[in-house]
Amino acid sequence: MEYEFHFVVDGIEVDDDKAVAIVHDTFDGVLTRHRGRHFLDVSESGVNAIDAAHRIVVRLRKSLPALRLLRTDPDLVGVSDIAERVDRSRQNVQQWVSGERRQDKLPFPDPEGIVGRSPVWRWGDVNAWLAQFGEGDDVHPPTREEALTIDFLLPKWQRTLDDGLPLVHFAPAESGDGRDEERETVQRLLEGTLTLPGALEWFAAFPVPRTERQRLTVVCAVLADRLSSVVSRIGHDEVWAVLAYQGAEDELRLQPVGTGQAPGAIPVSALGLGRDATVGDLLLVQTNGPDDSPVPPLTPVGLD
């Protein structure tokens, strides 16, 4: 899904022709200045708004190292603004706000505050509400909860990149099958490990030949998860990730995995595994080998 971000920024200016050209040509974005503040409008795809923000932070840092993302801008709108954006009358929008219309759906979002005597809302919240009816923008701004999470994480993400370390993105191999808690346990174990001194440096040196060294996807799985599900969690702009799971003795195991296009990987078919193979099948091959000879656990594996 495509998400739209409106950041308050520092470190680049609208008078910097080179920076403006990069924003426009590389990100199809817009850099503006209002009352001494600079604002950056960019969009990025992701499985959710946090994932998309994670991606755009890495991409922006690579192209514009001087840029600092201070926070998201709430993009506040009143009744007239909403009416104009969705091509409806003010009366129509006011009926949504008061609950006179569309009572069978989720209630209209709470206002973010009051300007003068009129309430204002975050456009992201209004847009999410409109999505129930197939209306609103095709590009989705973050909701209030998503924006608060992004604002909380921005300083941490940027400090990590300042230190030359990768941003780690966690993704579950599957979901909704009753094993979500087990996958979350794997993620919590890894998150605890990453707080240890030197842990991120170790991840940065992990034997995965990524072209983008500033972002690393870690897919958290259980033994029953299909390898095809694992590879589906690798981002649209990535060919490599790390598979994390607990082995037979509950030990935490890490395995470099890539798509079928990943250079230098051993195809799973070469290990005697088919398209329906599971993480547990891969563990057995690692332990016993296709010919009863163990496969080194950090051997990069390519998944079809």
Side-chain angles (χ1 to χ4, degrees):
M1 185 177 292
E2 192 84 2
Y3 292 89
E4 185 175 77
F5 300 100
H6 191 53
F7 290 114
V8 181
V9 302
D10 198 4
I12 60 174
E13 299 184 352
V14 292
D15 298 328
D16 185 341
D17 293 339
K18 182 178 179 181
V20 170
I22 291 174
V23 168
H24 180 270
D25 298 339
T26 304
F27 299 96
D28 194 24
V30 178
L31 180 67
T32 57
R33 180 171 57 200
H34 181 65
R35 294 188 176 182
R37 279 287 193 188
H38 280 81
F39 299 88
L40 176 64
D41 291 301
V42 288
S43 60
E44 180 61 81
S45 59
V47 295
N48 53 46
I50 311 304
D51 177 47
H54 193 274
R55 290 177 180 280
I56 198 64
V57 166
V58 171
R59 291 183 58 212
L60 287 167
R61 172 55 59 90
K62 183 178 179 180
S63 299
L64 296 162
L67 174 68
R68 306 303 297 180
L69 302 174
L70 304 181
R71 60 177 173 83
T72 57
D73 185 78
D75 191 12
L76 299 177
V77 292
V79 169
S80 296
D81 303 308
I82 297 170
E84 181 177 350
R85 292 193 185 193
V86 299
D87 196 24
R88 296 296 184 97
S89 67
R90 292 185 75 260
Q91 181 181 7
N92 196 175
V93 175
Q94 192 60 58
Q95 289 173 330
W96 297 344
V97 173
S98 64
E100 295 178 38
R101 297 189 62 184
R102 293 183 167 171
Q103 298 178 1
D104 58 325
K105 301 294 183 179
L106 293 174
F108 198 80
D110 293 330
E112 187 71 9
I114 302 294
V115 177
R117 296 182 179 180
S118 302
V120 290
W121 294 263
R122 284 181 180 257
W123 173 243
D125 290 339
V126 175
N127 193 61
W129 183 82
L130 288 167
Q132 300 177 90
F133 320 107
E135 300 183 23
D137 290 343
D138 292 332
V139 179
H140 306 277
T143 63
R144 183 175 189 273
E145 289 187 1
E146 292 166 339
L148 290 175
T149 300
I150 293 168
D151 287 345
F152 174 76
L153 291 172
L154 277 177
K156 178 182 177 181
W157 288 345
Q158 292 178 112
R159 283 195 303 268
T160 300
L161 293 173
D162 286 343
D163 293 337
L165 299 174
L167 291 188
V168 177
H169 165 64
F170 293 101
E174 298 186 26
S175 61
D177 61 353
R179 297 176 182 265
D180 291 347
E181 188 172 339
E182 296 175 58
R183 298 183 188 94
E184 290 172 3
T185 297
V186 173
Q187 178 173 334
R188 286 195 297 270
L189 287 171
L190 274 172
E191 287 175 334
T193 301
L194 292 178
T195 62
L196 299 175
L200 272 176
E201 286 84 350
W202 182 80
F203 259 82
F206 209 71
V208 175
R210 307 188 309 278
T211 55
E212 178 51 81
R213 306 287 311 175
Q214 292 179 305
R215 189 175 193 269
L216 176 63
T217 294
V218 178
V219 183
C220 300
V222 297
L223 295 178
D225 287 335
R226 295 165 298 168
L227 293 178
S228 59
S229 296
V230 172
V231 75
S232 70
R233 297 302 186 267
I234 299 177
H236 63 89
D237 54 351
E238 302 168 315
V239 295
W240 282 105
V242 171
L243 168 63
Y245 61 96
Q246 288 182 285
E249 303 298 327
D250 287 338
E251 77 279 12
L252 185 62
R253 301 179 70 99
L254 300 175
Q255 169 69 51
V257 294
T259 65
Q261 293 75 40
I266 297 177
V268 291
S269 56
L271 300 176
L273 300 177
R275 296 184 63 85
D276 295 328
T278 66
V279 173
D281 294 330
L282 179 60
L283 175 60
L284 287 175
V285 170
Q286 285 182 332
T287 304
N288 302 318
D291 300 311
D292 294 327
S293 56
V295 176
L298 293 184
T299 300
V301 175
L303 310 178
D304 298 325

